[in-house]
Amino acid sequence: MRVALFITCFNDTLFPDVGIATTRLLERLGHTVQFPQAQTCCGQMHYNTGYQRESIPLVRHFVEVFGDAEVVVAPSASCVGMVRELYPKAAALSGDERLITAVRDLVPRVDELGEFLVKRTGIVDVGAYFPHRVTYHATCHSLRVLHVGDIPWRLLQAVKGIDLVELPNVRECCGFGGTFAVKNADTSVAMLGDKVRSVLDTGAEVVCAADTSCLMHIGGGLHRLRAGVRTIHLAEILANTEED
Amino acid sequence: MVAPAHVGPLPAFPEAAKTALADTQLRRNLAKATTTIRSKRGNVVGELPDWEELRAAGAAIKADVMRHLDRYLLQLEESVIHAGGQVHWARDAVEANAIITGLVQAAGAERVVKVKSLTTDEIGLNAALRRAGITAVETDLAELIIQLADESSSHILVPAIHKNRSEIRDLFRRTIARDEDLSDEPQQLTAAARRYLRAQFLAAEVAISGANFGVAETGTVAVVESEGNGRMCLTLPRTLITVMGIEKIIPTFQDFEVFLQLLPRSSTGERMNPYTSLWTGVTPGDGPQTFHLVLLDNGRTQVLADEVGRQALHCIRCSACLNICPVYSRTGGHAYGSVYPGPIGAILTPQLVGIERAKTLPYASSLCGACYEVCPVKINIPDVLLHLRGQITAHAGALNPEAIVMRQLAAIFASPKRYERAQKLGRQGQRVFMHDGVIDHLPGMLAGWTHARDLQALPNQTFREWWRQRQRENERASEGGREKEIG
Amino acid sequence: MAETAGAKETVLARIRAALDDASEVGPVVRTYRWHDDRERAAIIAELVDRLRDYKAHVERIAPAALPSAIADACARHGIRRLVAPADVPAEWMPAGVEALRDDPPLANEALDESDGVLTGCAFAIAQTGTIVLDGGAHQGRRALTLVPDRHLCVVREEQVVGIVPEGITRLVEQPTRPITFISGPSATSDIELSRVEGVHGPRTLHVLVVETART
């Protein structure tokens, strides 16, 4: 398929490897990856912090950039969640009929990476190789907004050489929550403490998730504690092959 | 009070939470309580093949009630009067307290027994009665403990969750069990409370209760409980006064089949709670011969007026959202500064008392959505949180420092050129905050991040820079190929 | 009261103003279970099971054995003064036990000083182990099953329903009676979350499930 990659402002700036991995993975699977360079940010931070009107220009911009795409794929459950759940609301808020229609038209064509692989193209074994002990954190957006269910787990299970271990209290929020992480830093860190403990209890070398926002928070805690455990995005594991 | 009027705004959640998070006993008790109840709830909900259908019906019934609230309230009033009860309307807490005080005085009582009721806490009834020289004896064990210790509740269902057994034993020895040789065994403590309260029940002339549900069709009121003090208060005294929020209505008696399944499984994680009492008006020869129902507004009509926020009134006070909330289960209820804490409190309290007084509550959430998953009446709490956040920023105005920053960021993100320039500036500017290749201290609003977390440095190349470089390399490679072909 | 009349009008006016531009809501769709399809034997067995879960004493007996079962229960639980509603059959009341009939109505002190109470029930719900009293036949007024410390309750098999909606349906005919749902002895977990049973109300519940008479 012709895939328009939505890298997300976050990954673009802080975690370009996630984008590189996503590109390599999709090309390996035979898709053509395009990168509309005018893309910026989906507007989630603004919307969730209460600046819903201010997010409307960003919604418009996203629709302009990706409106013609056959399918849009983003390695971020939270950004896709924003588009799927909240773009219709933002468009309604704008009162702009054309935007409302454009959003309604675009939303069904926007996928999170795991959804794209398993639901849209029916593939679970992507030919990946990752010989490490890995635990998976189910991010709140992927779980409760996108309802990805066991898609990421099935993708990981099919990875050759992987030693996959379940994370205790996997459904519990890590404490990131966007601006919550700074506005309510103490509570955010208390939640992080328990998530870190769950990670360390698995004995995993690597913790994986579908959102680098959560990974940045979990990884930030692990690093401060010198825990010797690193974070990795789902795309990076799936992109890895025996040749790498 | 929902929140005490004389102290202005509620304490800011972040500061209150910080204090609560450091209370080690509270943390332990909360973790144990919420984990236990969560697991019990999961089991009993999992038993029902039609749980989602029940939730859907519960949500629809409550939506219907709110949409036609005036009609249902009039029907309820008529039904209660027809059954020999009396109905009073209270616009706010002050009026409700005046009505209730008057009714107690008319019954000639200086002492009343009370069943736990968040609604009576909301209006500050006990203090109002005290000012009129009337003693209200709390009869729920936890409420009794808190009353004797002169404190306030920290959980809708387990209000004394912050107290341990030896504190309670010492308290009882000072108060209700002065001549008794008490150990700190929960069984003995409970028995001491039973003895003390039994005497109160048998002598009581007037009881005050809340209500879980009020049936418009028949005038039936329901109280759902575990300890039996409800039954005692609702049965033995001559006069019963029930305070009910106007949103507690259900349309028909048959609707109990939905709510008596949703509530016990969601709140205490039981198939059914020990005792549920249903009564209608007055029954000659059985129970109180004078019954007063006080219908309370106190801000509910304000909530009703908000199309998105209205669903907060659907709440049946089960506390399932509290028990699953990763924030509440660590901070406890006091941090919310309101009678209604946790996720439901974060959306109900600001609407009841006004967002200016509770502007940090809608932000006391990571938007994880677990509350919405467990709410038996499907209140979309995350949706309402976002809605209230929008109201708060609008109210804070355009010149608020955060609003200025957000507008600037929006302008940057709306333009690819400005966005890319900002990326480069970030890369340059970050060095000041770095140490050994990692950002370990951030300024201003962002400082909260680096208090406990590191942040990896912005990489030397953004994704889009990598992409363009790869494009250039591919173009050069294909040009080179063509040159080879040509040359 | 003039003051309250003003309040009523104000509250209703507020509600109408609040809902002035509210959108309509859809009809209530009830696709939850209304009826329990299981066999009677399974339903009765579940009731017994759930009652035992709550630490109630439960016996299944033939109709002819009811009086002796009641007598045995009184002996077992040390009941010498037994409260009973006026309409409880004389055959139920054991010899050697002082019968305190509630006619004329017993004073609270008499109830407090009794050892237990004997009643029938309106019906029972198997799924939740609930016994429902509605003041009908053999049940009496609410104080009778509240103040004494032991409750002997006779449940006929025909009175057992499977699930909660079936129970509510039984009450809909006469909804304004004083109704009590009893699901196990009272309990609290308010002290460090240790569950303690028997706070208020009878601490001993003894249920006699009477088999349907065979014709």
Side-chain angles (χ1 to χ4, degrees):
Chain A
M1 294 187 73
R2 261 194 348 268
V3 171
L5 176 66
F6 173 46
I7 185 59
T8 80
C9 65
F10 215 74
N11 287 328
D12 188 11
T13 315
L14 284 159
F15 303 101
D17 284 345
V18 173
I20 296 169
T22 305
T23 306
R24 291 212 169 112
L25 171 64
L26 293 172
E27 286 174 347
R28 185 173 86 224
L29 295 172
H31 303 289
T32 308
V33 178
Q34 296 166 325
F35 181 69
Q37 301 202 24
Q39 63 181 270
T40 55
C41 167
C42 71
Q44 182 182 194
M45 178 186 67
H46 283 78
Y47 196 96
N48 283 355
T49 310
Y51 296 90
Q52 283 112 19
R53 287 201 184 278
E54 286 78 358
S55 76
I56 292 172
L58 305 183
V59 174
R60 263 188 224 290
H61 185 69
F62 183 96
V63 168
E64 240 176 66
V65 170
F66 289 104
D68 289 332
E70 184 185 339
V71 66
V72 181
V73 174
S76 165
S78 77
C79 302
V80 172
M82 169 70 192
V83 171
R84 194 170 296 170
E85 285 289 301
L86 298 174
Y87 268 28
K89 295 203 160 103
L93 188 63
S94 76
D96 178 350
E97 281 305 323
R98 277 176 48 212
L99 181 60
I100 292 170
T101 310
V103 163
R104 197 184 321 139
D105 187 60
L106 176 57
V107 163
R109 289 180 277 138
V110 179
D111 280 358
E112 179 268 337
L113 177 62
E115 292 180 314
F116 174 75
L117 294 170
V118 175
K119 281 162 88 164
R120 202 177 284 272
T121 70
I123 191 166
V124 171
D125 185 343
V126 301
Y129 173 71
F130 196 74
H132 299 280
R133 191 171 174 91
V134 175
T135 190
Y136 169 73
H137 164 63
T139 63
C140 297
H141 272 97
S142 63
L143 208 52
R144 298 189 188 93
V145 178
L146 301 185
H147 304 288
V148 295
D150 63 356
I151 283 176
W153 188 259
R154 285 161 59 203
L155 286 164
L156 288 168
Q157 274 184 317
V159 173
K160 211 162 138 208
I162 201 169
D163 176 13
L164 194 54
V165 55
E166 276 183 41
L167 182 68
N169 304 309
V170 62
R171 296 175 68 91
E172 183 154 316
C173 179
C174 69
F176 176 68
T179 48
F180 175 81
V182 291
K183 282 177 182 251
N184 275 288
D186 293 291
T187 309
S188 168
V189 167
M191 291 162 71
L192 174 63
D194 286 326
K195 185 59 70 175
V196 163
R197 176 164 39 110
S198 295
V199 168
L200 296 180
D201 280 349
T202 64
E205 183 195 331
V206 185
V207 54
C208 162
D211 281 287
T212 44
S213 44
C214 304
L215 289 174
M216 183 171 82
H217 170 73
I218 296 171
L222 288 167
H223 191 275
R224 178 65 63 92
L225 290 170
R226 309 298 187 249
V229 176
R230 63 187 168 104
T231 57
I232 197 170
H233 188 277
L234 180 64
E236 295 173 277
I237 291 183
L238 298 178
N240 206 62
T241 60
E242 279 181 270
E243 283 83 59
D244 296 323
Chain B
M1 300 289 170
V2 182
H6 62 281
V7 294
L10 302 183
F13 183 85
E15 280 75 63
K18 186 175 179 141
T19 309
L21 290 167
D23 182 339
T24 55
Q25 182 168 299
L26 178 67
R27 291 288 294 269
R28 230 81 293 99
N29 291 354
L30 275 171
K32 186 168 166 206
T34 54
T35 315
T36 308
I37 302 179
R38 271 206 300 275
S39 148
K40 287 177 74 176
R41 178 204 164 272
N43 290 338
V44 295
V45 162
E47 272 182 11
L48 290 185
D50 55 347
W51 180 252
E52 289 303 320
E53 287 86 338
L54 284 165
R55 285 181 82 210
I61 292 169
K62 280 291 175 178
D64 173 53
V65 167
M66 297 317 146
R67 185 64 187 83
H68 303 109
L69 189 60
D70 53 336
R71 192 202 333 139
Y72 284 125
L73 280 169
L74 285 168
Q75 192 185 15
L76 172 70
E77 181 185 47
E78 203 187 302
S79 306
V80 170
I81 291 173
H82 182 74
Q86 297 169 61
V87 178
H88 313 260
W89 299 67
R91 284 167 281 210
D92 56 29
V94 171
E95 187 161 38
N97 289 333
I99 292 169
I100 297 166
T101 305
L103 292 173
V104 174
Q105 288 166 336
E110 279 176 353
R111 202 174 175 81
V112 303
V113 287
K114 268 192 76 205
V115 192
K116 173 169 88 177
S117 157
L118 287 170
T119 314
T120 63
D121 291 340
E122 179 191 327
I123 62 178
L125 177 63
N126 291 7
L129 289 172
R130 203 180 315 127
R131 285 194 292 272
I134 298 166
T135 307
V137 178
E138 291 287 356
T139 62
D140 278 66
L141 182 54
E143 295 294 328
L144 174 69
I145 291 169
I146 285 169
Q147 184 176 57
L148 293 172
D150 202 21
E151 290 177 17
S152 66
S153 162
S154 61
H155 187 286
I156 282 182
L157 272 201
V158 197
I161 205 171
H162 56 290
K163 287 215 154 322
N164 69 26
R165 60 177 74 181
S166 50
E167 286 175 325
I168 294 170
R169 177 207 51 207
D170 293 342
L171 178 63
F172 281 4
R173 278 200 191 144
R174 285 200 310 271
T175 55
I176 63 172
R178 268 189 280 244
D179 302 320
E180 295 177 39
D181 181 25
L182 267 188
S183 77
D184 66 358
E185 280 301 310
Q187 201 126 1
Q188 280 217 1
L189 296 172
T190 304
R194 178 186 165 103
R195 282 190 295 277
Y196 168 72
L197 289 170
R198 197 168 178 85
Q200 305 291 320
F201 294 136
L202 291 171
E205 301 268 294
V206 179
I208 299 177
S209 82
N212 290 95
F213 306 103
V215 182
E217 177 195 35
T218 58
T220 306
V221 180
V223 165
V224 173
E225 58 149 343
S226 293
E227 291 174 24
N229 58 305
R231 289 179 69 190
M232 289 288 187
C233 292
L234 300 169
T235 312
L236 298 181
R238 278 183 301 125
T239 301
L240 173 61
I241 303 166
T242 297
V243 190
M244 188 183 102
I246 54 178
E247 83 283 21
K248 296 291 183 61
I249 286 194
I250 57 177
T252 67
F253 192 93
Q254 193 79 44
D255 291 325
F256 276 129
E257 71 190 9
V258 172
F259 293 100
L260 289 184
Q261 293 196 73
L262 291 174
L263 180 54
R265 291 187 194 247
S266 301
S267 65
T268 49
E270 298 174 294
R271 297 184 184 106
M272 187 66 78
N273 53 292
Y275 298 137
T276 296
S277 301
L278 311 181
W279 77 95
T280 309
V282 167
T283 301
D286 188 338
Q289 294 304 296
T290 304
F291 170 58
H292 296 276
L293 179 64
V294 180
L295 298 171
L296 179 72
D297 179 356
N298 203 34
R300 286 153 177 74
T301 46
Q302 219 163 270
V303 184
L304 192 65
D306 186 327
E307 181 94 359
V308 175
R310 177 181 306 148
Q311 58 190 297
L313 294 176
H314 297 187
C315 177
I316 62 175
R317 307 287 189 267
C318 71
S319 82
C321 62
L322 271 67
N323 292 322
I324 199 117
C325 178
V327 173
Y328 173 88
S329 61
R330 291 174 176 84
T331 64
H334 286 147
Y336 292 78
S338 156
V339 160
Y340 304 111
I344 186 63
I347 63 171
L348 186 58
T349 301
Q351 294 191 83
L352 286 175
V353 308
I355 53 169
E356 333 74 57
R357 291 184 59 210
K359 59 181 185 235
T360 59
L361 288 187
Y363 289 95
S365 164
S366 64
L367 298 174
C368 82
C371 48
Y372 182 21
E373 269 187 337
V374 300
C375 178
V377 289
K378 299 177 85 160
I379 300 172
N380 192 333
I381 296 175
D383 228 29
V384 183
L385 287 168
L386 291 180
H387 175 73
L388 293 176
R389 291 180 184 189
Q391 289 183 352
I392 288 167
T393 59
H395 188 262
L399 297 179
N400 179 262
E402 185 188 83
I404 294 174
V405 170
M406 285 303 212
R407 276 200 311 276
Q408 287 171 341
L409 284 173
I412 290 171
F413 286 139
S415 149
K417 275 226 259 314
R418 270 178 255 148
Y419 167 80
E420 291 182 23
R421 204 180 318 136
Q423 285 180 312
K424 295 197 176 78
L425 283 173
R427 236 184 353 230
Q428 288 163 7
Q430 69 178 336
R431 292 197 203 108
V432 151
F433 306 111
M434 282 170 62
H435 188 79
D436 281 343
V438 156
I439 298 172
D440 63 1
H441 58 286
L442 283 171
M445 285 191 283
L446 301 176
W449 183 275
T450 43
H451 278 148
R453 291 158 285 211
D454 289 334
L455 183 61
Q456 60 156 78
L458 272 59
N460 291 329
Q461 189 184 51
T462 62
F463 174 78
R464 62 186 60 213
E465 285 166 345
W466 173 86
W467 179 273
R468 284 175 198 143
Q469 184 183 343
R470 191 177 83 145
Q471 267 193 319
R472 283 195 297 273
E473 285 166 3
N474 288 346
E475 276 160 24
R476 258 181 261 135
S478 60
E479 274 164 34
R482 273 204 297 281
E483 278 170 11
K484 282 206 182 108
E485 282 176 24
I486 294 170
Chain C
M1 289 185 231
E3 175 218 304
T4 325
K8 172 175 169 179
E9 297 323 318
T10 306
V11 173
L12 289 171
R14 285 175 182 170
I15 293 173
R16 286 162 188 151
L19 296 171
D20 192 40
D21 54 359
S23 34
E24 272 314 311
V25 297
V28 178
V29 171
R30 299 175 194 262
T31 47
Y32 49 85
R33 285 186 307 163
W34 293 13
H35 177 64
D36 188 341
D37 291 326
R38 292 176 298 168
E39 285 189 13
R40 294 295 301 164
I43 291 174
I44 313 269
E46 180 172 70
L47 173 70
V48 172
D49 215 46
R50 297 271 144 101
L51 286 168
R52 290 205 172 118
D53 245 2
Y54 291 136
K55 311 216 184 78
H57 307 267
V58 192
E59 291 175 75
R60 297 182 68 166
I61 54 175
L66 182 58
S68 59
I70 293 172
D72 288 344
C74 286
R76 180 169 167 194
H77 298 299
I79 299 175
R80 277 181 283 272
R81 278 165 306 178
L82 181 66
V83 171
D87 65 342
V88 156
E91 318 84 77
W92 288 14
M93 303 299 288
V97 168
E98 185 188 345
L100 299 170
R101 292 288 188 159
D102 194 44
D103 182 17
L106 298 160
N108 284 347
E109 292 68 40
L111 292 175
D112 193 30
E113 286 159 17
S114 75
D115 300 316
V117 59
L118 171 67
T119 70
C121 72
F123 59 88
I125 304 171
Q127 178 195 48
T128 54
T130 301
I131 291 174
V132 179
L133 307 174
D134 71 355
H138 309 154
Q139 296 164 64
R141 62 193 171 98
R142 289 176 292 170
L144 302 187
T145 48
L146 174 59
V147 180
D149 204 20
R150 301 164 191 84
H151 181 191
L152 308 182
C153 187
V154 177
V155 177
R156 296 191 320 275
E157 276 188 6
E158 317 79 88
Q159 290 181 307
V160 182
V161 302
I163 58 177
V164 171
E166 292 171 327
I168 299 299
T169 300
R170 287 223 180 182
L171 290 170
V172 158
E173 295 299 307
Q174 293 188 287
T176 60
R177 289 177 152 176
I179 296 161
T180 309
F181 283 55
I182 298 168
S183 310
S186 60
T188 178
S189 300
D190 279 335
I191 298 177
E192 285 186 357
L193 299 168
S194 323
R195 189 181 172 89
V196 174
E197 262 132 27
V199 192
H200 305 292
R203 285 179 289 192
T204 301
L205 175 62
H206 191 118
V207 183
L208 299 154
V209 180
V210 180
E211 288 158 9
T212 312
R214 281 162 235 268
T215 43

